Amino acid sequence: ETGVTQTPRHLVMGMTNKKSLKCEQHLGHNAMYWYKQSAKKPLELMFVYSLEERVENNSVPSRFSPECPNSSHLFLHLHTLQPEDSALYLCASSKGPGSGNTIYFGEGSWLTVV
Amino acid sequence: GQQVMQIPQYQHVQEGEDFTTYCNSSTTLSNIQWYKQRPGGHPVFLIQLVKSGEVKKQKRLTFQFGEAKKNSSLHITATQTTDVGTYFCAGSAGAGSYQLTFGKGTKLSVIP
């Protein structure tokens, strides 16, 4: 059981679709993250939010658009994705944004772009 | 940029054998964390090492942080089938950085 909940767990979308991934954390943390995990690359940090403010954007293409309406919720809006964007997208949270904080991951959203 | 290399990529062991995975950073780290991801699951935090030369144990798992704070290892004694999964190290060059750089992980298979 995780204190970070992600929906949907599985998503199949066409390249012209618009969809969103949702994340909610129940841990009272102040920082939230989006990571991408694919078979060929290590876990890649996409975005970091601290107290609803985006503090890091790791050169992610604009077809990925994050939104953090409050410290408990995080969205990843997806539009005009490419097949190579198919991956496991992991949401995570931590007490603070510093690297010394333990990161708690959600179960992930498996995305397939067709 | 900072790189974290992890070896081996895969390891198959007979149940009861020991297992070790190694993590090497291109830069000095302020801390290193280890995570385990079961098949079909998500990464789960195991431990954090901060001090040079630090050694920590969790039952059959022993974690070490090198003297130069550029490498680390995870050793499992007498593996069990419950140890199956991928073990990731993740390091940071600075305490104030948001960036945790993950290694590619070592996928452990345990043959009963």
Side-chain angles (χ1 to χ4, degrees):
Chain A
E1 185 177 337
T2 173
V4 181
T5 305
Q6 288 187 242
T7 55
R9 295 294 315 281
H10 299 270
L11 177 63
V12 179
M13 60 185 288
M15 289 190 283
T16 58
N17 290 161
K18 288 185 180 181
K19 297 285 184 183
S20 296
L21 305 180
K22 178 184 175 183
C23 176
E24 182 175 0
Q25 58 98 358
H26 314 275
L27 301 169
H29 289 165
N30 292 322
M32 295 190 76
Y33 310 75
W34 280 115
Y35 279 85
K36 176 183 177 182
Q37 187 176 38
S38 58
K40 297 182 179 179
K41 293 185 178 181
L43 273 163
E44 299 174 84
L45 179 63
M46 300 174 73
F47 303 103
V48 183
Y49 277 81
S50 175
L51 296 171
E52 303 140 47
E53 183 178 333
R54 191 191 311 180
V55 294
E56 188 136 334
N57 175 351
N58 276 356
S59 303
V60 179
S62 59
R63 56 186 185 268
F64 294 92
S65 174
E67 179 190 358
C68 188
N70 55 63
S71 59
S72 298
H73 293 85
L74 186 64
F75 295 88
L76 187 62
H77 303 299
L78 316 168
H79 63 99
T80 59
L81 295 191
Q82 305 297 313
E84 59 265 28
D85 295 322
S86 299
L88 177 65
Y89 289 85
L90 290 158
C91 175
S93 71
S94 66
K95 285 184 181 178
S99 61
N101 288 283
T102 301
I103 293 182
Y104 294 82
F105 287 91
E107 294 181 329
S109 295
W110 287 97
L111 173 67
T112 303
V113 181
V114 297
Chain B
Q2 181 186 341
Q3 289 188 327
V4 174
M5 307 300 292
Q6 198 173 345
I7 56 169
Q9 194 172 352
Y10 302 95
Q11 185 78 59
H12 305 275
V13 300
Q14 201 74 35
E15 189 173 16
E17 291 181 341
D18 292 356
F19 159 77
T20 305
T21 173
Y22 301 91
C23 189
N24 289 286
S25 170
S26 57
T27 58
T28 302
L29 301 170
S30 64
N31 65 79
I32 194 158
Q33 299 180 14
W34 285 91
Y35 291 79
K36 176 184 178 181
Q37 185 172 18
R38 292 182 186 275
H42 58 281
V44 175
F45 174 79
L46 292 177
I47 209 159
Q48 178 176 262
L49 304 171
V50 179
K51 299 177 184 175
S52 169
E54 189 170 12
V55 178
K56 287 188 176 181
K57 292 190 176 184
Q58 288 180 351
K59 297 183 181 178
R60 294 178 294 104
L61 277 62
T62 302
F63 303 84
Q64 291 188 329
F65 201 9
E67 293 290 341
K69 300 183 75 172
K70 293 181 74 173
N71 57 72
S72 182
S73 65
L74 157 60
H75 180 82
I76 302 178
T77 304
T79 55
Q80 300 174 358
T81 54
T82 53
D83 296 324
V84 164
T86 302
Y87 294 84
F88 295 94
C89 61
S92 172
S97 169
Y98 302 114
Q99 182 76 273
L100 257 187
T101 302
F102 280 81
K104 283 192 173 184
T106 296
K107 187 173 182 179
L108 172 65
S109 300
V110 178
I111 305 163

